[in-house]
């Protein structure tokens, strides 16, 4: 079994190196595919498709900025001296390469259960620290498992948009599906089985395919300082400007201000408010400034973190344009309608999982996608007598699944690690296959057995 999986992984890695284009080229190719599909499957003409593309090209600006800030503020926290010391202690716990790979899977998975954005950044930095500390681990494989574990964990995260949205009073579908508490979605047996089943298969995959010592390529020593620069800036107290720059008074002011606002938002809006992106970004910003010696050191860390977000900034508008094509031309509705003709009450959650995964390849934005698809899938579910909570769970897990195919969400991780998609994607595809087999089987079997 081990040899078979290792050979399969090797062939996938070779195939990815030969045929996987740059992530930006991948986004452009998806744009052309969406245009052709809209021409063939809808009554929309070429000029109308271009108009719909343009209408949403800048539609992700707010979310893109939120994502960039969560990446750079997460980097600001992780690069603080006290955090570096803590992570360094963690990465020294494993005694063998296999234990090291398992440790990053557990770390990425558990942190992402709290918040998907935090998990992406923290797992990437854990991988870099692990590569710095050990020369017996393969750095590409380590980064691949960091991203894979964060992806698997994000399906069960309490910060997922769709479960949070349907649990929020006055949400846009409340008149049709009511309020659905989290214990019926992310904490349901159906949802937990898919998430933890995928995590188990991730550990199994690591056990069978992790690189042997002769095939291990560690993180080069000369790259460590670039990936993990230190931010402990000292200033000459002789000048007034340097006294200002080196003073912790400004840290204290921002921490008191940001901490007070964050606490007020949580107390007034409820604990789940801290999972809202703007609130989470404020919390990250406040914690990062608190952990650095002075605000100038923090500003330098944020500048370096921003350099790792270039591809995210570039590509987000293109995925906004693809969303415009899918939604504006009615292509999304056509795709969803196609599954209703072949579905029954027992198979509809499975087909929702499948079609959501397909759409997510083109539009890797779970929140925006759900707002559009919910108005189609929930009436169909109700007509079949299928639980709305089960549909939300199937949607959420399906939406996350193909993040292991489209490399967009890997860009922050790869930016922090200084790698390219082709360096890790053969390993990631193995997890995609395992995740799909486990989650898809559960999405098919649970409704058939009457467990949802």
């Amino acid at each position: 079994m081990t040899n078979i999986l290792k050979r399969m992984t090797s062939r996938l890695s070779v195939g990815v190196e030969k045929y996987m284009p740059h992530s930006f080229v991948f986004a452009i190719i998806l744009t052309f595919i969406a245009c052709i599909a809209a021409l063939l499957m809808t009554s929309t003409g070429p000029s109308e498709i271009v108009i719909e593309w343009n209408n949403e090209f800048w539609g992700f600006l707010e979310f893109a900025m939120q994502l960039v800030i969560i990446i750079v503020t997460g980097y600001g926290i992780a690069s603080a001296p006290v955090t570096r010391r803590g992570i360094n202690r963690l990465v020294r716990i494993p005694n063998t390469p296999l234990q090291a790979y398992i440790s990053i899977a557990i770390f990425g998975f558990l942190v992402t259960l709290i918040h998907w954005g935090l998990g992406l950044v923290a797992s990437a930095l854990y991988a870099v620290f692990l590569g710095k500390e050990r020369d017996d681990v393969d750095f590409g494989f380590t980064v691949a498992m960091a991203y894979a574990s964060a992806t698997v964990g994000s399906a069960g995260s309490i910060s997922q948009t769709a479960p949070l949205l349907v649990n929020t009073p006055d949400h846009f579908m409340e008149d049709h599906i009511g309020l659905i508490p989290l214990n019926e979605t992310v904490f349901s047996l159906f949802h937990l089985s898919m998430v933890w089943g995928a995590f188990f298969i991730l550990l199994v995959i690591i056990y069978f395919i992790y690189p042997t010592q002769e095939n291990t390529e560690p993180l080069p020593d000369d790259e460590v300082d670039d990936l993990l620069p230190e931010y402990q800036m000292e200033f000459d107290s002789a000048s007034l400007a340097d006294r200002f720059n080196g003073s912790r008074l400004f840290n204290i002011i921002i921490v008191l201000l940001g901490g007070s606002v964050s606490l007020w938002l949580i107390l007034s809006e409820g604990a789940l408010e801290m999972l809202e992106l703007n609130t989470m970004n404020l919390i990250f910003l406040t914690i990062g400034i608190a952990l650095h010696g002075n605000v100038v050191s923090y500003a330098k860390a944020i500048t370096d973190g921003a350099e790792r977000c270039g591809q995210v900034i570039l590509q987000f508008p293109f995925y906004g344009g693809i969303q415009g094509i899918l939604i504006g031309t009615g292509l999304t509705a056509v795709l969803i309608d196609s599954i209703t003709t072949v579905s029954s009450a027992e198979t509809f959650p499975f087909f929702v999982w499948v079609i959501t995964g397909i759409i997510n390849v083109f539009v890797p934005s779970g929140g925006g996608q759900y707002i559009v698809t919910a108005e189609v899938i929930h009436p169909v579910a109700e007509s079949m007598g299928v639980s709305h909570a089960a549909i939300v769970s199937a949607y959420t897990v399906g939406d996350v699944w193909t993040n292991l195919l489209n490399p967009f969400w890997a860009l922050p991780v790869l930016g922090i690690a200084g790698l390219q998609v082709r360096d890790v994607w053969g390993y990631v595809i193995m997890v995609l296959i395992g995740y799909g087999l486990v989650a898809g089987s559960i999405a098919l079997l649970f409704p058939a057995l009457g467990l949802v």
Side-chain angles (χ1 to χ4, degrees):
M1 175 65 114
T2 300
N3 290 334
I4 293 173
L5 290 177
K6 282 186 181 292
R7 284 198 299 269
M8 183 177 176
T9 304
S10 177
R11 289 173 182 173
L12 280 172
S13 296
V14 171
V16 166
E17 289 178 5
K18 285 185 176 180
Y19 304 113
M20 186 72 176
H22 188 278
S23 57
F24 184 40
V25 176
F26 190 82
I28 295 172
I29 291 172
L30 289 177
T31 301
F32 282 117
I33 293 174
C35 289
I36 293 170
L39 278 172
L40 296 176
M41 300 174 67
T42 72
S43 59
T44 314
S47 61
E48 295 169 293
I49 291 174
V50 173
I51 291 171
E52 296 297 347
W53 177 81
N54 177 68
N55 287 342
E56 289 296 321
F57 190 78
W58 302 113
F60 280 163
L61 278 183
E62 180 180 2
F63 184 47
M65 191 61 182
Q66 288 172 325
L67 176 64
V68 168
I69 291 176
I70 205 167
I71 294 168
V72 299
T73 53
Y75 183 85
I77 292 172
S79 61
V82 63
T83 313
R84 291 168 64 103
R85 290 193 293 270
I87 297 178
N88 267 327
R89 291 192 184 98
L90 280 177
V91 300
R92 290 173 183 158
I93 294 174
N95 294 316
T96 66
L98 177 58
Q99 290 177 6
Y101 299 134
I102 294 294
S103 76
I104 196 166
I106 294 172
F107 179 85
F109 179 76
L110 293 180
V111 174
T112 312
L113 289 178
I114 300 170
H115 195 281
W116 61 266
L118 175 61
L120 276 178
V121 176
S123 61
L125 287 160
Y126 185 97
V128 175
F129 276 103
L130 194 63
K132 169 181 175 289
E133 185 65 26
R134 308 181 64 111
D135 59 6
D136 60 350
V137 297
D138 186 272
F139 188 56
F141 184 75
T142 302
V143 173
M145 294 307 103
Y147 176 66
S149 63
T151 302
V152 171
S154 67
S157 176
I158 55 176
S159 63
Q160 273 292 335
T161 302
L164 278 180
L165 186 62
V166 298
N167 186 48
T168 304
D170 301 321
H171 68 81
F172 75 107
M173 288 290 291
E174 184 175 359
D175 290 342
H176 302 282
I177 66 175
L179 286 175
I180 304 177
L182 292 177
N183 67 315
E184 294 183 15
T185 52
V186 291
F187 297 129
S188 67
L189 178 63
F190 179 47
H191 199 116
L192 290 173
S193 296
M194 289 189 286
V195 172
W196 284 89
F199 177 61
F200 174 76
I201 205 67
L202 170 64
L203 298 180
V204 172
I205 289 171
I206 291 174
Y207 178 80
F208 281 112
I209 73 168
Y210 76 94
T212 58
Q213 281 304 114
E214 58 267 25
N215 294 321
T216 293
E217 296 183 17
L219 173 64
D221 292 336
D222 58 357
E223 295 182 14
V224 172
D225 290 339
D226 291 334
L227 297 179
L228 293 173
E230 295 192 13
Y231 304 98
Q232 291 179 303
M233 301 181 67
E234 302 293 337
F235 295 94
D236 182 2
S237 59
S239 69
L240 181 61
D242 281 350
R243 289 181 183 178
F244 279 140
N245 291 338
S247 174
R248 283 194 59 82
L249 175 63
F250 298 106
N251 298 62
I252 294 170
I253 292 172
I254 296 300
V255 169
L256 289 174
L257 180 61
S260 300
V261 173
S262 300
L263 183 61
W264 173 75
L265 286 170
I266 293 168
L267 292 176
S268 61
E269 302 293 336
L272 291 179
E273 175 63 22
M274 68 182 295
L275 301 175
E276 196 272 331
L277 278 178
N278 289 334
T279 306
M280 180 62 73
N281 282 334
L282 178 60
I283 293 171
F284 278 18
L285 177 72
T286 304
I287 293 173
I289 290 176
L291 295 179
H292 279 262
N294 52 68
V295 294
V296 177
S297 295
Y298 181 73
K300 179 65 171 65
I302 292 300
T303 300
D304 287 350
E307 291 181 2
R308 292 156 167 80
C309 297
Q311 289 301 313
V312 175
I313 296 169
L314 172 64
Q315 294 181 36
F316 239 128
F318 286 86
Y319 284 105
I322 294 172
Q323 175 169 283
I325 295 170
L326 264 63
I327 296 171
T329 65
L331 182 58
T332 298
V334 170
L335 292 173
I336 295 174
D337 285 342
S338 68
I339 68 172
T340 63
T341 59
V342 295
S343 300
S344 64
E346 290 76 21
T347 60
F348 190 60
F350 169 76
F351 281 111
V352 167
W353 174 80
V354 171
I355 201 67
T356 301
I358 293 172
I359 295 172
N360 181 67
V361 173
F362 294 87
V363 188
S365 170
Q369 186 188 141
Y370 178 72
I371 289 173
V372 175
T373 58
E375 296 180 348
V376 180
I377 59 177
H378 282 294
V380 175
E382 187 168 355
S383 68
M384 293 183 177
V386 179
S387 162
H388 291 298
I391 294 303
V392 173
S393 290
Y395 165 87
T396 301
V397 178
D399 176 70
V400 168
W401 171 45
T402 47
N403 287 338
L404 296 166
L405 179 59
N406 184 325
F408 179 78
W409 289 112
L411 295 178
V413 175
L414 297 173
I416 290 170
L419 296 179
Q420 300 296 321
V421 172
R422 65 182 60 186
D423 298 323
V424 303
W425 219 244
Y427 300 123
V428 173
I429 293 295
M430 286 296 293
V431 181
L432 169 78
I433 295 169
Y435 187 137
L437 290 173
V438 172
S441 297
I442 293 171
L444 191 59
L445 290 174
F446 266 54
L449 296 174
L451 297 176
V452 295

